[in-house]
Amino acid sequence: MTATLSPSGRHPLIPVAPPSVVADLYSSAEVAALFGVIADHGPWPLILAHHFSSTEEYLAVSGGANRRPDAKLADFAAPVFRGYLAKEGVAFYDEIRDIYLSRTLLEHAKSVHGARYGMAHHMLFNMAVPSHSFDAGHFDSGNWRGMSSVDTPIWLLSVMAKSGLFDAWEVKTSQVITYFYDSDLDGGFTYWPDGPDRAPQRLAAPFWNTAVLSDNSKMYHRREANGPRDRRDMPELEMHTRLHGENGAWVVRNGDTEIGRYTDGDVRTLFHYTALVFDDRRDADRYLDHTDDLTADKVFDILGDDLTRRGIEFEFPADPITDRDFIALLTNTYAMAPAEYPADAPLDVG
């Protein structure tokens, strides 16, 4: 893989610093509140269901040209469920409002960049029942002044990050990701702190209430497979599959049909907090006052100039945000992916 370098000469997907670990981040009462929200406020959808409305829609863009005609969702996706606990400064559940808005989380997030100011952004959970990991590595969606996941397609945010062309408009983010997986049966966290073309590192399980302070919008990372190996297949998985908390158990259902039942010891859970952070007052004011925002037109002008510089022939379509051929051109131009995986945590292949 040939990396695309940013104008600074630095690989665009190297974090400001390697992740650091904080043990026992939450109090016992906070842990109970966080898991209580999952247990009491479900059912919860798959991560994929936040982005695709049906299994057929997802399969239409997954698996490549050699995808079998009888392929199932379980051939490409794992039963990992997600719920948003808070967004854009708004806590959705009273039980966790004080956690989301806590000084502890914000100060940890600010420390990643050495930032002076910050604000709570999103908080979510992921719960993985026993499953393979088909994630070859990803990075979190970045934020730029005027362009974020609130109003911009994920594919375009990904291209912007990989191109390294938009650092002047970057809104720095930091993550505090707290892991709960009381097992040493796989289940670790693989990350590429020196760029996806370099060797990865990993945080091995078990971990419980173990927080990782990271710059995940600038770092490839992945969940490793978890849970008993003989229970990792779930052929019945569909886009409408949901996770339920039920009498101390975690139950997976398609409608009224139960397809899996698990204990706390079987599942791998994380609570993912993101803050926007700012170096100084001027940096914060530019974001809050929208005095130097990107627009979609400006983004495509910059990308178009770069394609021309690279000698790539193209014509702007009428709607570059939805034109499939143009999306493919940009995606291929700035393509990159991890080059290797830990020997103890190889990539599962469906």
Side-chain angles (χ1 to χ4, degrees), residues 46-59 73 238-242:
L46 293 167
I47 292 177
L48 283 178
H50 289 272
H51 306 289
F52 298 93
S53 60
S54 69
T55 297
E56 292 72 25
E57 181 184 349
Y58 176 73
L59 289 178
L73 185 64
E238 294 288 352
M239 199 63 70
H240 64 267
T241 300
R242 295 292 184 266

Side-chain angles (χ1 to χ4, degrees), residues 146-160:
M147 308 284 284
S148 74
S149 59
V150 174
D151 52 18
T152 307
I154 297 300
W155 77 261
L156 182 54
L157 295 176
S158 176
V159 165
M160 291 170 66

Side-chain angles (χ1 to χ4, degrees), residues 224-245:
E224 298 172 6
N226 66 275
R229 294 188 178 99
D230 61 351
R231 301 187 69 188
R232 291 181 184 176
D233 292 322
M234 186 175 282
E236 307 95 338
L237 189 71
E238 294 288 352
M239 199 63 70
H240 64 267
T241 300
R242 295 292 184 266
L243 173 74
H244 304 251

Side-chain angles (χ1 to χ4, degrees), residues 100-319:
Y100 170 59
L101 297 175
S102 72
R103 181 172 181 176
T104 297
L105 288 178
L106 186 57
E107 291 301 321
H108 277 313
K110 286 162 54 181
S111 73
V112 173
H113 288 275
R116 176 69 178 85
Y117 301 104
M119 57 190 291
H121 191 45
H122 293 346
M123 190 172 190
L124 57 85
F125 77 85
N126 291 345
M127 181 177 285
V129 302
S131 54
H132 303 286
S133 176
F134 303 116
D135 181 4
H138 69 278
F139 54 92
D140 294 357
S141 295
N143 283 262
W144 290 268
R145 291 190 299 278
M147 308 284 284
S148 74
S149 59
V150 174
D151 52 18
T152 307
I154 297 300
W155 77 261
L156 182 54
L157 295 176
S158 176
V159 165
M160 291 170 66
K162 291 176 180 179
S163 76
L165 296 171
F166 300 94
D167 290 353
W169 295 272
E170 179 190 11
V171 180
K172 294 177 181 176
T173 65
S174 302
Q175 288 73 37
V176 182
I177 307 171
T178 310
Y179 292 91
F180 295 83
Y181 181 56
D182 194 17
S183 171
D184 61 0
L185 190 58
D186 305 324
F189 171 68
T190 303
Y191 58 97
W192 284 262
D194 300 311
D197 51 349
R198 302 296 177 88
Q201 298 184 32
R202 64 188 298 257
L203 175 67
F207 28 63
W208 191 262
N209 200 12
T210 302
V212 174
L213 312 184
S214 63
D215 182 16
N216 271 10
S217 64
K218 291 281 192 177
M219 183 180 73
Y220 271 92
H221 56 279
R222 66 187 284 261
R223 173 190 72 91
E224 298 172 6
N226 66 275
R229 294 188 178 99
D230 61 351
R231 301 187 69 188
R232 291 181 184 176
D233 292 322
M234 186 175 282
E236 307 95 338
L237 189 71
E238 294 288 352
M239 199 63 70
H240 64 267
T241 300
R242 295 292 184 266
L243 173 74
H244 304 251
E246 186 175 287
N247 299 321
W250 303 108
V251 182
V252 178
R253 291 195 177 96
N254 287 338
D256 295 329
T257 303
E258 182 176 314
I259 61 174
R261 180 177 289 264
Y262 308 95
T263 67
D264 286 341
D266 295 326
V267 301
R268 179 187 187 273
T269 306
L270 64 81
F271 295 94
H272 186 295
Y273 166 92
T274 295
L276 307 182
V277 300
F278 307 96
D279 292 337
D280 51 34
R281 177 64 181 271
R282 179 173 176 270
D283 190 25
D285 283 344
R286 281 190 305 176
Y287 172 76
L288 295 169
D289 297 340
H290 302 283
T291 54
D292 185 25
D293 280 6
L294 284 169
T295 63
D297 287 345
K298 187 167 188 174
V299 167
F300 286 118
D301 284 345
I302 291 171
L303 290 171
D305 289 345
D306 192 53
L307 293 177
T308 299
R309 182 185 63 81
R310 293 167 177 262
I312 298 173
E313 295 184 1
F314 72 99
E315 291 185 4
F316 275 118
D319 185 359

